[in-house]
Amino acid sequence: MTSLPHNTPESTPAIGTSVSADDFKRAFRGHPGGIAVITAYGEHGPVALTASSVSSVSADPPLLIFSVSALSSATPTIIAADTIVVHLLDAEDIGLARAGATSGLDRFADTSTWSRLATGEPVYHGVRAWLRCKIVSRMDAGGSTVIAAQALQVDVERDLEPGEPGAALVYHNRSWHRLGEHSRLD
């Protein structure tokens, strides 16, 4: 195992320089992210993608952020949408997480697994929780777009009491993991 060098004032890079993409990815491989599937409806139908970048920003107003890669075929529809649905997944939803991360797959072929809300957005049935959100801001960031969205509607299928471990689904070091009582540190 190698470690990143410790920066001292003499070794700190000048402003405007960057670490390599490989070093950046290497640093983040050890930083797990919760898993969500983002859906939107566009002129060519519904789209979905899996994201590990979803993060709450504020409870009042209820805001979240996430990023979408320019490489995803779903990104143009999500960026153009006024509203989207953010599905917050747990380990029971691993099939949906994998589907959203698989290129070229028709994520909406099985019409029994999803429907459209009265407002038009596609929503998957039976996920741990979902939030219907209005996009309030978009920012280009490298090869991605960072999106800020305000929650307008929420549905929680599998709720957790404070301190309860649940079965969180996270992505860590290029693989899926289930958090639970076995991974709890006190």
Side-chain angles (χ1 to χ4, degrees):
M1 177 169 99
T2 60
S3 63
L4 296 175
H6 178 70
N7 285 336
T8 62
E10 300 80 37
S11 67
T12 302
I15 293 176
T17 62
S18 294
V19 299
S20 71
D22 287 341
D23 282 346
F24 189 75
K25 288 188 270 186
R26 188 165 54 107
F28 270 86
R29 272 197 296 269
H31 186 73
I35 304 302
V37 167
I38 315 295
T39 59
Y41 201 89
E43 69 178 66
H44 300 293
V47 299
L49 61 79
T50 297
S52 62
S53 61
V54 175
S55 185
S56 65
V57 174
S58 168
D60 188 16
L63 297 173
L64 59 86
I65 59 169
F66 62 93
S67 64
V68 290
S69 168
L71 301 176
S72 172
S73 61
T75 293
T77 300
I78 291 171
I79 290 172
D82 290 326
T83 57
I84 46 99
V85 175
V86 177
H87 303 77
L88 301 174
L89 308 185
D90 65 15
E92 289 185 37
D93 305 313
I94 185 67
L96 179 57
R98 286 183 173 135
T102 303
S103 183
L105 184 68
D106 183 353
R107 298 165 184 109
F108 297 94
D110 183 354
T111 56
S112 70
T113 63
W114 70 280
S115 60
R116 288 179 68 181
L117 296 172
T119 50
E121 303 88 353
V123 63
Y124 286 105
H125 306 155
V127 298
R128 191 192 75 73
W130 58 261
L131 301 107
R132 179 176 160 265
C133 301
K134 175 181 176 39
I135 295 177
V136 296
S137 180
R138 298 165 183 85
M139 179 183 79
D140 289 336
S144 296
T145 300
V146 176
I147 295 175
Q150 181 171 349
L152 304 173
Q153 182 180 356
V154 65
D155 181 75
V156 180
E157 179 91 10
R158 292 184 292 280
D159 199 4
L160 295 173
E161 292 299 321
E164 189 179 354
L169 178 64
V170 298
Y171 195 71
H172 177 260
N173 198 15
R174 297 183 166 191
S175 60
W176 309 99
H177 295 267
R178 173 197 313 257
L179 297 183
E181 191 61 36
H182 68 283
S183 57
R184 184 180 183 151
L185 301 173
D186 285 323

